[in-house]
Amino acid sequence: MPTRTAAQRRAEARTAYDAFMAVCPSRQLLDRISGKWATLVVTALADGPLRYAELARVIAGVSQKMLTQTLRALERDGLVTRTVTAAVPVRVDYELTGIGRDLLVVLAAVKAWSERHIEEVLDAREAYDAAQAEA
Amino acid sequence: MPTRTAAQRRAEARTAYDAFMAVCPSRQLLDRISGKWATLVVTALADGPLRYAELARVIAGVSQKMLTQTLRALERDGLVTRTVTAAVPVRVDYELTGIGRDLLVVLAAVKAWSERHIEEVLDAREAYDAAQAEA
DNA sequence: CGGGATCCGACGGGATACTG
DNA sequence: CAGTATCCCGTCGGATCCCG
């Protein structure tokens, strides 16, 4: 059961969305799409559809619980499609939607940034911790 | 006390960083910078330094605990500087560093994406929930 | 003003076991 | 293969009180 009716939603929609506002739905969305697992899942689907087990392999260390949970949330938000192929055993493919590919561009930049700047951050941490230790 | 020595870190650094790998430090960094509070704090500092109370006001709904915790983490990672001006009462300013401004570009895109696509996502959710309800 | 310290509930998230 | 269900623990995160 949705917490808001479509009419209520449309009324809200007339005001600008601003994630700095506490109750703005765009902040909830920000909470969703930012975050480790969403970022890794979306970027993992960059080169086309993947099966569940393939995703689990690409994203090393993810538990099935978090993988399933994240995929469901992304599917519900219209960012990923879930295609079941009846067979034995069953085959399930996940693929980015149009809007999902749009998000991919943004999230891929975040992931790439982490990988590009991790060394500087590691050095900064070392310096910070050293300064704290002497104090 | 750091969990790795500088020598160990440097040894690791010779291998490429890939956030898809479970133990890669860049995934820890991804975990840090992705996430609601980090994104909001960094983007809030886009137009220059802000005081603690100003940050708390701009980022509506943030508790002091999370604001302080997030600011400390960003400072430790070298993304934000903390400047204390001795006075009564004390004045503390937070400002993005060079690398912090670099991150801002990426995170601002994430925040903007949320605000731009929230309506489509809301519609997708409604459709998804409706489909689930009838099943 | 800019926090630190503490308590506590809620949820994130891993491990394991079971199913169609 | 692709999940679901359950247990369990750690952390997230808010509320409150206190301090320099």
Side-chain angles (χ1 to χ4, degrees):
Chain A
M1 177 174 65
T3 54
R4 281 187 303 276
T5 67
Q8 287 174 318
R9 270 214 310 95
R10 253 169 252 123
E12 289 176 8
R14 285 187 201 103
T15 74
Y17 289 112
D18 179 2
F20 281 134
M21 298 175 54
V23 294
C24 184
S26 74
R27 179 181 289 191
Q28 299 173 19
L29 180 56
L30 178 62
D31 206 5
R32 272 265 137 87
I33 64 173
S34 70
K36 185 175 44 172
W37 298 127
T39 302
L40 290 173
V41 167
V42 170
T43 55
L45 293 172
D47 298 330
L50 285 181
R51 302 181 60 174
Y52 184 87
E54 293 174 324
L55 274 170
R57 188 163 33 77
V58 171
I59 307 170
V62 66
S63 64
Q64 340 144 333
K65 179 181 174 179
M66 289 320 298
L67 182 53
T68 300
Q69 203 172 94
T70 305
L71 284 168
R72 286 286 178 280
L74 292 175
E75 187 195 359
R76 185 165 105 102
D77 288 353
L79 302 169
V80 160
T81 60
R82 179 173 181 269
T83 309
V84 182
T85 307
V88 181
V90 186
R91 175 194 181 94
V92 180
D93 285 279
Y94 292 93
E95 186 172 13
L96 292 177
T97 62
I99 185 177
R101 269 189 296 281
D102 199 63
L103 177 60
L104 165 65
V105 177
V106 175
L107 293 189
V110 177
K111 176 170 179 288
W113 192 93
S114 294
E115 292 163 356
R116 254 202 334 270
H117 295 280
I118 176 64
E119 301 208 26
E120 302 167 64
V121 169
L122 249 24
D123 287 343
R125 270 184 209 175
E126 212 167 281
Y128 183 92
D129 292 345
Q132 293 299 318
E134 81 183 41
Chain B
M1 179 173 66
T3 54
R4 281 186 304 275
T5 68
Q8 285 174 319
R9 268 218 307 99
R10 252 168 253 124
E12 288 175 8
R14 282 187 203 101
T15 73
Y17 289 112
D18 179 2
F20 281 135
M21 296 176 55
V23 295
C24 184
S26 74
R27 180 181 288 192
Q28 300 172 19
L29 180 56
L30 178 62
D31 206 5
R32 271 262 135 85
I33 64 173
S34 70
K36 187 176 40 170
W37 298 128
T39 303
L40 290 174
V41 167
V42 170
T43 55
L45 293 173
D47 298 328
L50 285 182
R51 302 180 61 174
Y52 184 86
E54 293 174 327
L55 274 170
R57 187 164 33 77
V58 171
I59 308 169
V62 67
S63 66
Q64 344 142 332
K65 179 180 175 178
M66 290 319 297
L67 182 54
T68 299
Q69 204 172 93
T70 305
L71 284 168
R72 286 286 177 282
L74 293 175
E75 186 194 359
R76 186 166 103 102
D77 287 354
L79 302 168
V80 160
T81 59
R82 178 172 181 270
T83 309
V84 181
T85 307
V88 181
V90 186
R91 176 193 180 94
V92 182
D93 286 277
Y94 292 93
E95 186 171 15
L96 292 176
T97 63
I99 185 177
R101 268 188 296 281
D102 200 62
L103 177 60
L104 165 66
V105 177
V106 175
L107 293 189
V110 177
K111 177 170 178 287
W113 193 95
S114 294
E115 293 164 355
R116 253 204 331 272
H117 295 280
I118 176 64
E119 300 208 27
E120 301 167 64
V121 168
L122 250 23
D123 287 342
R125 268 185 209 174
E126 212 168 283
Y128 183 92
D129 292 344
Q132 292 300 318
E134 82 183 41

